[in-house]
């Protein structure tokens, strides 16, 4: 098949003014190897894209059905605070529902993993999730900035979220003495952290926009947050009449449970020991192979059961997710086999471990980096 | 019956209310109801296929029983018709062919098989009674005015007969009795969709002047061959004072339009045609027109990505990575085929979302930009 255009190369995300080559991955392999590495992954990607079909569609619909069921059941059971086991069951059910909504459904749908289905209710541009942060802000910060410039200092705002010192290459200041405390608090209010992060206050602070523009840009976000807060803390509690407070408490616990869980999973995906970060100049003019390699070196997996993977939204396969962010998450185990094999062949570390170990590694880092680097 | 209907109406109004919306936010109530039963949606139009019948000339009529989210259609309108195959919803635009006076609430679309038409093939060969289809509400301006004018002229060619048939059936069932001329072109009688029913209408409706022209098998009547302006003269119609509706292939429409333009009667003419995407994957050079629909611009396809062509035309569409991973540039492609520059995959469905940073048009493409 002849192409009607020469435009058959993916543009490099970071382009240097001169034509020097990016140095990412040279400590592991040659430019030729990098080329081959990229080609292998492109091939794998195509293999999976060609294979997408009814099973993938059925899978996400099944997850959604379970999530909707858990949500309805949870909200219903919260009206029985006088039968404590039922109420507790309601809290659990609503918590699970919010976790599924945010992780296996929302996060993945908004990555465009199901755009190929052409179903408006599973479309990356239209989907909204059950969290205060609106989809559009998140997509810009997460899908675009974080997934394109993964772990590049000065470009990926997810390195410490402008709040934490999570990498040795972030300069220490006395502010970071509070590192463990900030992380601990963030864990409980994670959804507001995400929202604040995505409001991007820095843009106004650093003068890239006026405060009026900042307010205008973020008006939809505040509206979305308002609706979320009204639903959980006003309308559903009010509907339960005399049980206003217990319903409100149940909803709050469900939101916090989701926050703690999401925080743990996400921190384990990027911040355990051995995860690499990069300098901007090393990534400029990178090839597709180098882009893939940066994703691999910048992510970490969590091992666990099938159910565990589901509850993490398959972000336990963070490496595979970063390599192919828009391929349906249920395919990540399949991708993982090939990626592990490639890691072996190319002498790369495949960063994975159980939740406890990855979490421990993250915690250790947060504490250690609170202190100034030893000379 | 009346009570059931009004109770249902009340329930629907409640479910569609902003109060319910505030309970189900950020999702619509439909995203819950559909799990109880797929036809139970309040906003999304869905229908169950009741019957698929094969007409002559490789056309199929699909009778649909829509759910309550469907409101009426006006004869001449079309619907977006979506079927799910291998997990993917494929959408095509089909005109409603049935009478607006069916009292069972059902309606039909009639579709001719197109050799490259995935959905039309599917309709003919695979679609069974009981299948659920996704619909839009009825759309389109190709409709008769509330007061149907005297001396109405309906011209159709080939499968363009479907919306006109819906008009004719509705006029008949609605007790219309003012003169209507029905001028239809088909290649042969075997190719003619609805031939038997047209015979029947001809026999039973004295107010219809029915003229059917078979372009490949002349019948020795005064009017033969493809449409030309003499056909109107023979029928005693002056374009200047005959409200005319024409639907058919681009060729027929062009000739009719020229005739009316020449007579200075362009405003008398309503026309409708459905484009079929032209896909030439072997073309070495970029062909066709890229229509930037929301901004009313047309540019010659330069072979670059849609994002680049839109930018060259002065637009500033949203984009992110420009490498197809972040989906920030996802845009609705309304019509035509595009090829992904990285994977080579070609997507040709009507109304589907594509990333514009890594897709190039193949032939004529229209996008919502």
């Amino acid at each position: 098949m002849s192409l009607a255009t020469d435009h058959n190369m993916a543009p490099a995300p970071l382009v240097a003014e001169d034509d020097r080559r990016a140095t990412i991955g040279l400590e592991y392999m040659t430019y030729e190897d990098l080329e081959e590495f990229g080609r292998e992954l492109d091939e794998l990607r195509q293999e999976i894209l060609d294979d997408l079909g009814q099973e993938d569609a059925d899978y996400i619909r099944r997850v959604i059905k379970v999530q909707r069921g858990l949500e309805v059941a949870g909200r219903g059971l919260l009206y029985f605070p006088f039968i404590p086991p039922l109420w507790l069951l309601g809290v659990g059910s609503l918590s699970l529902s919010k976790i599924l909504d945010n992780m296996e459904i929302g996060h993945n749908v908004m990555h465009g993993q199901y755009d190929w289905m052409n179903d408006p209710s599973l479309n990356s541009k239209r989907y909204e999730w059950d969290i205060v942060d609106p989809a559009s802000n998140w997509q810009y910060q997460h899908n675009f900035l974080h997934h394109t410039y993964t772990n590049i200092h000065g470009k990926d705002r997810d390195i410490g979220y402008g709040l934490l010192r999570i990498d040795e290459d972030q300069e220490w200041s006395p502010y970071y003495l509070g590192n463990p405390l900030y992380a601990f608090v963030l864990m409980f209010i994670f959804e507001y952290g995400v929202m604040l992060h995505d409001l991007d206050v820095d843009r106004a602070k650093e003068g890239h926009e006026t405060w009026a523009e900042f307010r205008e840009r973020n008006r939809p976000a505040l509206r979305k947050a308002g609706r979320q807060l009204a639903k959980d803390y006003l309308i559903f509690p009010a509907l339960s009449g005399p049980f206003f407070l217990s319903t409100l408490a149940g909803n709050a616990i469900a939101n916090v449970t989701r926050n703690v869980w999401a925080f743990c999973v996400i921190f384990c995906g990027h911040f355990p020991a051995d995860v690499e970060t990069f300098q901007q100049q090393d990534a400029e003019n990178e090839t597709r192979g180098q882009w893939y390699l940066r994703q691999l070196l910048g992510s970490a997996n969590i091992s666990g059961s099938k159910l565990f993977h589901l509850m993490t939204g398959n972000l336990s396969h963070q490496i595979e997710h970063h390599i192919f962010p828009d391929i349906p998450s249920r395919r990540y185990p399949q991708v993982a086999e090939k990626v592990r094999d490639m890691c072996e062949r190319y002498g790369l570390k495949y960063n994975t471990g159980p939740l406890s170990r990855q979490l421990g590694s993250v915690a250790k880092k947060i504490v250690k980096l609170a202190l100034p680097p030893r000379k | 019956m009346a009570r059931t209907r009004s109770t249902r109406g009340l329930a629907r109004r409640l479910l569609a209310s902003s109060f319910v919306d505030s309970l189900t936010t950020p999702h619509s109530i439909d995203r819950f109801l559909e799990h109880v039963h797929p036809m139970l949606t309040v906003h999304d139009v869905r229908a169950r296929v009741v019957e698929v019948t094969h007409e002559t000339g490789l056309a199929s009529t699909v009778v649909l029983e829509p759910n309550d989210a469907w409101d009426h259609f006006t004869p001449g309108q079309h619907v977006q018709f979506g079927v799910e195959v291998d997990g993917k919803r494929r959408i095509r635009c089909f005109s409603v062919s049935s009478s607006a006076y069916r009292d069972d609430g059902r309606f039909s679309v009639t579709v001719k098989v197109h050799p490259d038409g995935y959905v039309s093939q599917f309709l003919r060969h695979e679609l069974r009674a009981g299948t659920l289809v996704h619909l839009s509400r009825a759309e389109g301006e190709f409709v008769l005015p509330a007061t149907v004018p005297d001396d109405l002229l309906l011209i159709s060619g080939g499968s363009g007969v479907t919306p006109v048939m819906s008009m004719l059936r509705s006029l008949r069932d609605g007790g219309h009795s003012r003169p209507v001329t029905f001028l239809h072109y088909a290649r042969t009688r075997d190719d003619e969709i609805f031939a038997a029913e047209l015979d029947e209408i001809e026999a039973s409706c004295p107010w219809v002047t029915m003229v059917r022209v078979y372009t490949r098998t002349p019948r020795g009547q005064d009017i033969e061959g493809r449409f030309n302006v003499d056909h109107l003269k023979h029928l005693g119609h002056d374009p200047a004072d005959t409200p005319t509706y024409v639907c058919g292939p681009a060729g027929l429409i062009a000739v009719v339009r020229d005739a009316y333009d020449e007579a200075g009667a362009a405003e008398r003419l309503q026309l409708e045609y459905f484009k079929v995407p032209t896909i030439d994957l072997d073309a070495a050079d970029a062909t066709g027109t890229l229509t930037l629909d929301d901004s009313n611009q047309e540019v010659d396809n330069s072979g670059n990505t849609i994002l680049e062509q839109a930018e060259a035309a002065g637009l500033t569409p949203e984009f992110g990575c420009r490498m197809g991973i972040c989906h920030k540039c996802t845009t609705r492609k309304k019509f035509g085929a595009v090829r992904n520059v990285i994977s080579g995959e070609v997507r040709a469905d009507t109304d589907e979302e594509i990333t514009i940073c890594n897709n190039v048009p193949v032939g004529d493409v229209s996008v919502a930009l």
Side-chain angles (χ1 to χ4, degrees):
Chain A
M1 188 176 78
S2 63
L3 292 175
T5 168
D6 290 333
H7 198 305
N8 56 359
M9 287 287 292
L14 277 179
V15 182
E17 293 189 352
D18 48 31
D19 53 5
R20 78 195 141 77
R21 304 172 92 176
T23 55
I24 283 173
L26 290 186
E27 63 269 49
Y28 302 105
M29 55 179 107
T30 63
Y31 280 118
E32 288 72 38
D33 286 344
L34 279 164
E35 189 92 350
E36 175 59 19
F37 182 78
R39 203 194 51 73
E40 272 190 59
L41 284 169
D42 272 346
E43 213 174 84
L44 175 61
R45 176 182 167 78
Q46 197 55 48
E47 234 170 72
I48 294 171
L49 288 179
D50 292 344
D51 192 46
L52 293 181
Q54 197 62 49
E55 278 181 36
D56 301 274
D58 291 345
Y59 170 78
I60 190 65
R61 294 216 170 104
R62 204 158 55 236
V63 175
I64 291 174
K65 197 171 195 117
V66 170
Q67 185 272 322
R68 301 286 191 260
L70 285 170
E71 179 168 356
V72 171
R75 299 218 181 255
L77 288 169
L78 283 179
Y79 289 166
F80 297 92
F82 43 89
I83 311 175
L86 285 189
W87 185 82
L88 276 174
L89 200 64
V91 175
S93 181
L94 190 58
S95 304
L96 288 177
S97 139
K98 283 184 181 262
I99 286 170
L100 281 178
D101 175 281
N102 287 182
M103 304 193 79
E104 183 70 334
I105 306 166
H107 169 263
N108 290 330
V109 168
M110 291 190 297
H111 261 294
Q113 292 184 1
Y114 300 95
D115 279 0
W116 60 274
M117 285 173 63
N118 206 26
D119 176 343
S121 68
L122 291 172
N123 176 273
S124 60
K125 267 291 177 67
R126 302 185 204 180
Y127 199 83
E128 265 298 349
W129 52 352
D130 185 7
I131 181 174
V132 286
D133 190 38
S136 57
N137 277 14
W138 179 82
Q139 279 186 308
Y140 177 76
Q141 293 293 335
H142 179 88
N143 278 19
F144 168 49
L145 285 182
H146 171 58
H147 272 272
T148 310
Y149 305 120
T150 310
N151 284 18
I152 298 176
H153 284 282
K155 293 296 281 184
D156 181 1
R157 295 177 68 237
D158 280 25
I159 304 177
Y161 304 110
L163 176 76
L164 304 172
R165 184 161 182 258
I166 207 76
D167 190 86
E168 280 166 7
D169 288 340
Q170 286 173 284
E171 206 182 321
W172 184 84
S173 77
Y175 160 83
Y176 288 122
L177 286 170
N179 220 26
L181 177 68
Y182 310 148
F184 188 71
V185 173
L186 178 64
M187 180 162 80
F188 294 96
I189 57 158
F190 192 58
E191 65 173 317
Y192 300 96
V194 173
M195 179 172 174
L196 197 65
H197 178 70
D198 293 350
L199 292 180
D200 201 356
V201 183
D202 289 348
R203 253 166 86 178
K205 266 208 272 316
E206 288 162 13
H208 301 297
E209 67 185 356
T210 65
W211 283 103
E213 280 165 348
F214 171 81
R215 276 195 300 274
E216 189 56 38
R217 175 168 60 84
N218 285 312
R219 204 186 298 275
L222 296 179
R223 197 175 314 129
K224 160 87 194 284
R227 284 174 67 84
Q228 287 290 126
L229 290 171
K231 175 181 71 166
D232 280 344
Y233 301 122
L234 195 65
I235 302 174
F236 273 108
L239 280 176
S240 56
F243 309 125
F244 186 96
L245 284 179
S246 62
T247 301
L248 183 142
N251 290 348
I253 297 171
N255 278 324
V256 169
T257 307
R258 179 267 322 277
N259 286 350
V260 172
W261 179 248
F263 171 93
C264 291
V265 170
I266 290 161
F267 271 55
C268 286
H270 285 295
F271 306 135
D274 295 332
V275 166
E276 295 187 28
T277 58
F278 308 88
Q279 299 303 327
Q280 205 164 318
Q281 57 185 25
D282 299 327
E284 282 170 349
N285 290 346
E286 69 186 353
T287 61
R288 197 158 173 81
Q290 286 177 305
W291 185 86
Y292 277 133
L293 184 62
R294 177 157 57 78
Q295 305 304 322
L296 173 93
L297 299 175
S299 317
N301 281 8
I302 318 169
S303 54
S305 66
K306 254 188 152 156
L307 181 66
F308 174 77
H309 293 315
L310 169 67
M311 296 316 291
T312 67
N314 270 297
L315 289 178
S316 47
H317 294 106
Q318 189 71 244
I319 294 174
E320 288 72 24
H321 173 59
H322 258 271
I323 292 175
F324 301 136
D326 61 356
I327 278 183
S329 62
R330 71 180 281 270
R331 298 295 189 137
Y332 290 156
Q334 181 189 351
V335 174
E337 269 178 52
K338 176 89 179 191
V339 172
R340 272 173 181 275
D341 164 66
M342 287 173 74
C343 284
E344 233 163 76
R345 277 189 286 123
Y346 289 98
L348 301 164
K349 184 177 161 57
Y350 186 82
N351 193 338
T352 184
L355 182 68
S356 56
R357 194 170 87 209
Q358 299 294 56
L359 215 46
S361 175
V362 173
K364 215 166 107 187
K365 211 163 155 186
I366 289 175
V367 172
K368 197 178 128 203
L369 292 175
L371 303 168
R374 267 177 286 170
K375 295 273 153 57
Chain B
M1 181 72 191
R3 179 178 294 168
T4 329
R5 199 164 275 172
S6 73
T7 316
R8 260 161 72 180
L10 196 68
R12 273 179 55 75
R13 271 210 303 283
L14 177 69
L15 288 170
S17 68
S18 59
F19 172 68
V20 167
D21 199 45
S22 69
L23 295 179
T24 61
T25 186
H27 308 298
S28 123
I29 182 70
D30 284 355
R31 301 287 80 81
F32 289 85
L33 293 175
E34 67 189 354
H35 294 286
V36 180
H37 190 282
M39 289 280 275
L40 207 59
T41 49
V42 178
H43 305 286
D44 293 359
V45 186
R46 290 181 184 169
R48 180 88 51 204
V49 173
V50 177
E51 191 187 355
V52 184
T53 49
H54 295 331
E55 309 278 350
T56 45
L58 282 181
S60 308
T61 291
V62 181
V63 181
L64 296 161
E65 179 150 297
N67 67 358
D68 287 346
W70 169 261
D71 45 19
H72 66 288
F73 71 95
T74 310
Q77 285 190 307
H78 53 257
V79 289
Q80 306 276 342
F81 184 101
V83 282
E84 193 170 301
V85 186
D86 291 335
K88 182 175 176 175
R89 191 179 304 181
R90 302 191 179 243
I91 301 170
R92 284 290 184 279
C93 200
F94 297 137
S95 22
V96 176
S97 55
S98 55
S99 162
Y101 289 89
R102 273 187 85 126
D103 51 12
D104 56 5
R106 295 170 177 176
F107 69 96
S108 67
V109 297
T110 301
V111 181
K112 193 176 171 193
V113 174
H114 183 263
D116 303 326
Y118 189 92
V119 177
S120 66
Q121 304 257 16
F122 180 84
L123 237 64
R124 181 153 186 105
H125 304 297
E126 316 273 347
L127 194 66
R128 300 275 175 271
T131 308
L132 184 103
V133 298
H134 302 265
L135 300 176
S136 66
R137 286 172 213 287
E139 304 167 341
E141 306 295 312
F142 185 69
V143 292
L144 296 175
T147 314
V148 181
D150 282 351
D151 278 336
L152 180 68
L153 175 59
L154 304 174
I155 307 177
S156 58
S159 51
V161 69
T162 50
V164 185
M165 190 67 185
S166 174
M167 293 178 180
L168 192 63
R169 283 168 165 166
S170 303
L171 289 171
R172 175 196 60 197
D173 298 347
H176 186 81
S177 58
R178 314 293 305 157
V180 172
T181 303
F182 186 88
L183 175 56
H184 177 61
Y185 297 82
R187 278 189 292 202
T188 66
R189 188 178 160 96
D190 289 343
D191 285 312
E192 189 179 57
I193 310 172
F194 311 126
E197 191 172 344
L198 289 174
D199 290 345
E200 198 186 301
I201 293 175
E202 187 169 14
S204 63
C205 300
W207 45 276
V208 178
T209 307
M210 177 117 24
V211 185
R212 289 140 81 188
V213 184
Y214 301 133
T215 50
R216 293 203 180 159
T217 49
R219 303 156 86 191
Q221 50 187 14
D222 290 343
I223 292 175
E224 295 294 1
R226 289 163 177 256
F227 174 89
N228 69 60
V229 75
D230 290 339
H231 291 186
L232 293 186
K233 282 185 196 146
H234 273 292
L235 292 168
H237 282 300
D238 179 359
D241 51 35
T242 313
T244 304
Y245 287 75
V246 56
C247 182
L252 171 71
I253 287 179
V255 185
V256 174
R257 189 163 52 186
D258 288 350
Y260 277 69
D261 279 349
E262 219 157 275
E267 79 284 354
R268 289 270 167 225
L269 190 64
Q270 300 286 325
L271 42 87
E272 173 99 328
Y273 54 98
F274 298 119
K275 288 194 200 172
V276 177
T278 48
I279 307 173
D280 182 4
L281 289 176
D282 294 326
D285 298 314
T287 58
T289 311
L290 173 63
T291 305
L292 306 164
D293 201 60
D294 294 355
S295 46
N296 274 323
Q297 287 200 63
E298 280 195 359
V299 296
D300 287 335
N301 176 14
S302 67
N304 288 328
T305 62
I306 295 173
L307 176 59
E308 287 167 332
Q309 297 197 47
E311 285 174 338
L315 303 186
T316 52
E318 259 193 289
F319 66 86
C321 64
R322 295 184 91 102
M323 57 187 289
I325 61 151
C326 81
H327 290 252
K328 244 187 97 55
C329 67
T330 300
T331 300
R332 181 143 284 246
K333 183 196 72 192
K334 297 190 165 175
F335 160 85
V338 294
R339 187 188 50 244
N340 185 309
V341 293
I342 296 160
S343 66
E345 185 202 8
V346 173
R347 301 180 66 170
D349 286 331
T350 302
D351 249 325
E352 63 180 337
E353 306 281 341
I354 55 163
T355 45
I356 56 172
C357 73
N358 62 350
N359 273 292
V360 295
V362 182
D364 292 337
V365 169
S366 167
V367 289
L369 278 176

